[in-house]
Amino acid sequence: MARNTLTAEQIVRAAIELLDAEGLDGLNMRSLGGRLDSAATAVYWHVKSKDNLVRLAVDEVWREVELPDLDALHWRTAATRMAAGLNAMMNRHPWLVQAIAGHLLYGEAKARHDDHMLAVYEKAGFVGSDADQAAATVFMFALGGAAGASANVALSRRLARAGGDPDVLMAETVERAGEFAMRYPRLRARVEKAASGTEYGQAPEDSFTFGLTAILDGFERRLAGG
């Protein structure tokens, strides 16, 4: 694809696909050019640098988060949808957590999302810095909820690149961790339940919902003066 027919939008979309498949470590202009049937120099001409490309890709995936209609919904419903949508987006793009930690990020879509999130908590009744704190609390919870999956994906890729079988190595690690867990009563009870087939070996699937509900319950009590 010639430079004059290639667009920044095509490059960003291809970069997101490459990031989803290979992670941040797998993103380079040569591989991206191959996906686009274009020279790496043409890609550079449009996006200037890898760091800028990551910034553009991050801002693009932020568009995936629904911005609910605040005139039609109760603030808590809107807050739940935004937090769940943010967490789901981060899980779809596990490289995003690493990008947030290692890149300077800004953009129109991110600003639009953040402004809407503040509006949700202002509608709830928070004023000034309290609205900022409420929005930041939910954002950090959504980010933390996605961090575990992101770390697992990155670790699996690193183990595979080192020549190991990620599934085997993970299983061995869980077994060794279980040996330490058996020394402690609460962990031992859970290990024994998992061994008996009750499937208590992992965090409950609804842990995100549980935590978000607890946070929003706390917000409501604070707003009510409790």
Side-chain angles (χ1 to χ4, degrees):
M1 189 177 296
R3 187 177 73 185
N4 61 352
T5 61
L6 195 62
T7 67
E9 290 76 14
Q10 290 171 322
I11 294 170
V12 170
R13 179 47 52 190
I16 292 170
E17 293 172 357
L18 182 57
L19 285 162
D20 289 345
E22 303 292 340
L24 277 175
D25 292 340
L27 178 64
N28 60 74
M29 298 305 187
R30 181 174 296 178
S31 296
L32 187 56
R35 281 179 171 255
L36 293 163
D37 191 26
S38 181
T41 52
V43 176
Y44 271 115
W45 189 84
H46 282 277
V47 299
K48 311 309 178 189
S49 69
K50 179 179 174 180
D51 282 346
N52 192 52
L53 178 57
V54 171
R55 182 187 69 78
L56 293 169
V58 168
D59 200 54
E60 183 62 28
V61 299
W62 233 275
R63 299 181 189 280
E64 298 174 15
V65 182
E66 175 197 359
L67 304 184
D69 183 353
L70 299 186
D71 292 329
L73 298 172
H74 186 272
W75 76 266
R76 181 159 177 159
T77 302
T80 299
R81 287 189 185 179
M82 284 197 75
L86 179 61
N87 181 255
M89 181 271 283
M90 289 180 172
N91 280 310
R92 284 194 301 273
H93 307 293
W95 51 271
L96 179 59
V97 174
Q98 186 181 355
I100 289 172
H103 289 76
L104 299 172
L105 303 174
Y106 59 91
E108 178 69 27
K110 175 68 164 56
R112 183 168 173 263
H113 168 275
D114 291 351
D115 186 78
H116 202 80
M117 200 169 189
L118 287 170
V120 169
Y121 295 105
E122 287 178 353
K123 179 176 181 179
F126 288 110
V127 177
S129 62
D130 284 349
D132 297 343
Q133 294 278 19
T137 297
V138 173
F139 173 79
M140 292 304 295
F141 178 71
L143 179 64
S150 175
N152 285 339
V153 170
L155 178 58
S156 293
R157 287 184 180 131
R158 184 177 69 79
L159 294 173
R161 283 195 292 267
D165 184 324
D167 291 336
V168 171
L169 293 170
M170 290 283 194
E172 291 174 350
T173 300
V174 169
E175 182 178 356
R176 291 170 186 156
E179 294 171 2
F180 286 97
M182 292 298 285
R183 302 176 187 178
Y184 301 92
R186 294 166 187 81
L187 297 179
R188 182 172 63 249
R190 284 152 176 78
V191 171
E192 289 171 348
K193 285 182 180 180
S196 68
T198 54
E199 299 183 357
Y200 204 108
Q202 299 179 1
E205 291 184 0
D206 64 349
S207 57
F208 179 81
T209 301
F210 179 92
L212 180 61
T213 299
I215 290 170
L216 298 181
D217 285 348
F219 286 174
E220 288 196 322
R221 286 194 295 271
R222 185 181 183 90
L223 288 164

